[in-house]
Amino acid sequence: MRYDDVLAELRAALESGQVDERDVRRLLARADRAQRPGPVGLLRAAGAIVFLLGLGLLFGLGYDGYPYAGQLVGPFLFPAAALGTAIVLHRRGAKRWEIELAGMVGYVALGLAYMTAGVAADAGPGYGLVASASAVAVVAAMHAVVRHVRLTSWGLSASLVAFTGFASDIAGFLADDTAAWLVAGQFALALAVGILLLRRDREVAANALRTAALLAPVACAFGLGDGGFGSFGLWHLALTAAVAGTLLAAAALDLPGLMWIRAGDGLFWICAVAAVAGQSVGWAVAVMLAGVGLVGLALLVARLRPTVAAGSARL
């Protein structure tokens, strides 16, 4: 690799004591702090987002009176502005978080624009299929220019999930009792990609695993809605496994982003289980035991983290 010689020299210097480990860590921390949001950057980003939101509200106030072509094309000016800003920031060497934030605002605005134009055109699943395919093209074009893996991963995940959903609807595979299994299949695919790429490209793998962690509770929500939230079933077990698995993966692989997603999954798990436990003393006791199990899982995670950290240091 490009930096193999430098890494070998640094390793030798550390082992011989010529370079202190604390100096290296301070240098890395300084580089990390340089990329963190500062007060000025946060205020600038917040002001730009609020301005774009106000412009969108102003556009929406007169939306019904616009010509039909304006109703279809107008909403796409907002994502174009945000994505264009991300490209300009990238070319000016702005901080990573600023570029990613502008890109994410652009992708959210793009999704809203597709929905707004679809409602105006009274479009069906065919429009959704074309829209999601074009969204994939937009994400690919942005990646070719900006090359930010996390930004690309989130945009690509959302557009591909939408594409498969609309394609299944057109093919007649999507119904109230099959939506859960469709999303579960997408979860399995994202999980497989994350596991396969974990040793090859950690950043891509982390994004795939985050996508899987988000898709899992969505699949369970569809399943619970189909079977009824008040009765215990397979989807409650699946949701419990998803929450526990996300927690273990976040700790074992040292992926803080998964921990935040697990917190949201955990809140949904509490609501889902409470709907069942509230109707039975036995289930209430089962929830208490589950709480004890989660405490035990937390202790296991605490034991895993030092081991993983030591293994990472050896690598």
Side-chain angles (χ1 to χ4, degrees):
M1 290 178 62
R2 179 181 175 185
Y3 300 109
D4 282 350
D5 293 340
V6 176
L7 292 173
E9 292 177 12
L10 178 60
R11 183 188 297 272
L14 285 169
E15 291 176 351
S16 64
Q18 293 177 322
V19 176
D20 192 275
E21 179 183 351
R22 289 172 295 182
D23 293 334
V24 177
R25 292 189 180 279
R26 277 196 293 268
L27 179 63
L28 294 174
R30 189 185 309 161
D32 181 62
R33 284 195 298 270
Q35 289 296 320
R36 291 178 183 176
V40 176
L42 286 173
L43 286 173
R44 184 170 58 238
I49 293 174
V50 170
F51 176 81
L52 188 65
L53 177 61
L55 193 61
L57 293 173
L58 187 62
F59 176 81
L61 289 174
Y63 184 77
D64 292 336
Y66 298 150
Y68 183 63
Q71 293 180 346
L72 296 179
V73 178
F76 293 96
L77 297 177
F78 296 94
L83 295 177
T85 300
I87 294 173
V88 171
L89 289 173
H90 169 69
R91 292 187 172 174
R92 290 186 175 181
K95 294 182 180 179
R96 184 186 183 94
W97 72 268
E98 293 181 294
I99 301 170
E100 291 184 347
L101 179 60
M104 287 304 298
V105 169
Y107 287 155
V108 172
L110 183 62
L112 294 174
Y114 280 130
M115 288 190 290
T116 303
V119 171
D122 194 21
Y127 166 82
L129 188 67
V130 174
S132 53
S134 64
V136 172
V138 170
V139 173
M142 282 292 296
H143 180 72
V145 177
V146 177
R147 295 196 175 278
H148 278 222
V149 175
R150 182 162 49 190
L151 179 62
T152 301
S153 298
W154 284 115
L156 199 59
S157 297
S159 53
L160 287 176
V161 167
F163 181 83
T164 54
F166 285 115
S168 300
D169 191 14
I170 292 174
F173 298 143
L174 189 61
D176 292 340
D177 57 346
T178 59
W181 296 107
L182 172 65
V183 180
Q186 294 170 337
F187 153 77
L189 179 61
L191 180 63
V193 170
I195 293 174
L196 289 174
L197 294 180
L198 198 55
R199 292 187 178 273
R200 299 180 184 178
D201 193 324
R202 183 176 174 83
E203 189 174 4
V204 174
N207 283 283
L209 292 174
R210 280 194 290 266
T211 300
L214 288 170
L215 287 172
V218 174
C220 294
F222 279 121
L224 292 171
D226 183 50
F229 282 88
S231 58
F232 186 82
L234 172 66
W235 292 107
H236 288 85
L237 293 175
L239 180 59
T240 303
V243 172
T246 303
L247 175 61
L248 284 175
L253 302 177
D254 193 20
L255 297 175
L258 279 182
M259 193 64 73
W260 289 106
I261 295 175
R262 189 218 66 85
D265 293 352
L267 289 175
F268 178 53
W269 178 84
I270 291 173
C271 295
V273 173
V276 178
Q279 303 178 17
S280 167
V281 174
W283 284 122
V285 174
V287 171
M288 293 171 60
L289 294 176
V292 174
L294 288 175
V295 172
L297 185 60
L299 295 175
L300 175 62
V301 168
R303 292 176 64 88
L304 275 174
R305 290 186 69 88
T307 303
V308 174
S312 300
R314 286 194 296 271
L315 293 176

